[in-house]
Amino acid sequence: QSVLTQPPSVSGAPGQRVTMSCTGSSSNIGAGHNVHWYQQLPGTAPKVLIYDNTHRPSGVPDRFSGSKSGTSASLAITEVQAEDEADYYCQSYDSSLSGWVFGGGTKLTVL
Amino acid sequence: EVQLLDSGGGLVQPGRSLRLSCAASGFNFGNFAMVWVRQAPGKGLEWVSSVFGSGYGPKYADSVKGRFTISRDNSKNTLYLQMNSLRAEDTAIYYCAKGEGMEMTNYHFDYWGQGTLVTVSS
């Protein structure tokens, strides 16, 4: 059971907009700690997609965006493409655990 | 170019020990916190341990506390994870990653190694 809760799967057709959520609590996201998102393509290491809730590293397409409100955060992908098919993880810091926590991951399927 | 190269994984019997290494290049290693994150087969990511650039303030997940020890040699640009009393549930790919951020509580991990597989089985 992960500290941050993500839906196990989402799907969308090419060109559609998809969103995925990350729900935490008052000891992590709700405590004001930033949320970061990672993309993990099959058989590869995770790659940071969004950091500090809304920022994209250079090289990440602007189709990817992040938001945060209260104890939750969301990742949105506009105009989803086949190459976006991957697992997505949210991450934050938990004050009660004194450590970093990840969501269980969401598998994106492009139909 | 930042590169992190994980090594040291393998098959080990329950109760035995293993030491992982992560060789870093392309950045000022001693200025950055480093972490170990693991991923059990078919499962999600789990933060394992972290250490500041100076080697100060090691932190551990409850699942490994008392069994694993993180360390670093800044003269060799290398991060280590000494794993003792290994259990079947420690079986996972272990990734080292570089910490980035203004404050520890807002760190994200901007570069990752390729991972090294640890299998604990008799």
Side-chain angles (χ1 to χ4, degrees):
Chain A
Q1 195 83 354
S2 301
V3 173
L4 304 179
T5 301
Q6 297 182 249
S9 63
V10 298
S11 63
Q16 282 189 333
R17 180 178 186 269
V18 298
T19 63
M20 58 190 76
S21 61
C22 174
T23 302
S25 68
S26 59
S27 62
N28 42 69
I29 299 176
H33 301 313
N34 288 344
V35 178
H36 321 289
W37 292 89
Y38 300 85
Q39 178 192 61
Q40 186 176 33
L41 297 169
T44 69
K47 162 193 160 185
V48 62
L49 206 59
I50 298 288
Y51 67 96
D52 293 350
N53 307 316
T54 61
H55 294 80
R56 279 187 314 276
S58 60
V60 173
D62 60 6
R63 301 185 293 105
F64 295 90
S65 63
S67 64
K68 173 189 166 186
S69 178
T71 59
S72 296
S74 290
L75 175 70
I77 310 173
T78 59
E79 299 180 357
V80 70
Q81 301 176 4
E83 66 201 48
D84 299 332
E85 195 161 276
D87 294 321
Y88 293 83
Y89 294 91
C90 59
Q91 174 244 316
S92 187
Y93 184 84
D94 192 283
S95 299
S96 295
L97 298 174
S98 295
W100 292 271
V101 291
F102 288 91
T106 297
K107 182 176 182 60
L108 169 62
T109 299
V110 181
L111 302 171
Chain B
E1 178 193 4
V2 172
Q3 288 193 330
L4 298 172
L5 185 62
D6 300 317
S7 62
L11 174 63
V12 61
Q13 293 179 329
R16 302 299 290 265
S17 299
L18 205 60
R19 188 177 84 156
L20 306 183
S21 299
C22 169
S25 61
F27 66 103
N28 195 335
F29 181 70
N31 283 357
F32 293 92
M34 297 293 294
V35 303
W36 288 98
V37 174
R38 69 184 180 183
Q39 185 170 35
K43 302 297 185 183
L45 302 171
E46 178 189 16
W47 166 75
V48 172
S49 183
S50 61
V51 65
F52 288 121
S54 61
Y56 173 77
K59 294 167 72 70
Y60 302 93
D62 287 344
S63 57
V64 306
K65 200 171 293 182
R67 300 187 298 122
F68 289 12
T69 302
I70 192 171
S71 63
R72 61 193 297 161
D73 186 337
N74 289 345
S75 69
K76 295 182 178 179
N77 288 351
T78 303
L79 176 74
Y80 302 101
L81 186 68
Q82 177 67 41
M83 304 186 296
N84 298 332
S85 303
L86 282 162
R87 306 167 180 168
E89 54 265 37
D90 296 318
T91 294
I93 297 173
Y94 285 73
Y95 298 99
C96 70
K98 171 182 167 288
E100 179 61 57
M102 297 298 291
E103 300 172 344
M104 178 193 73
T105 58
N106 285 323
Y107 280 173
H108 66 280
F109 310 127
D110 59 349
Y111 291 94
W112 295 63
Q114 85 287 3
T116 186
L117 176 62
V118 173
T119 303
V120 184
S121 175
S122 54

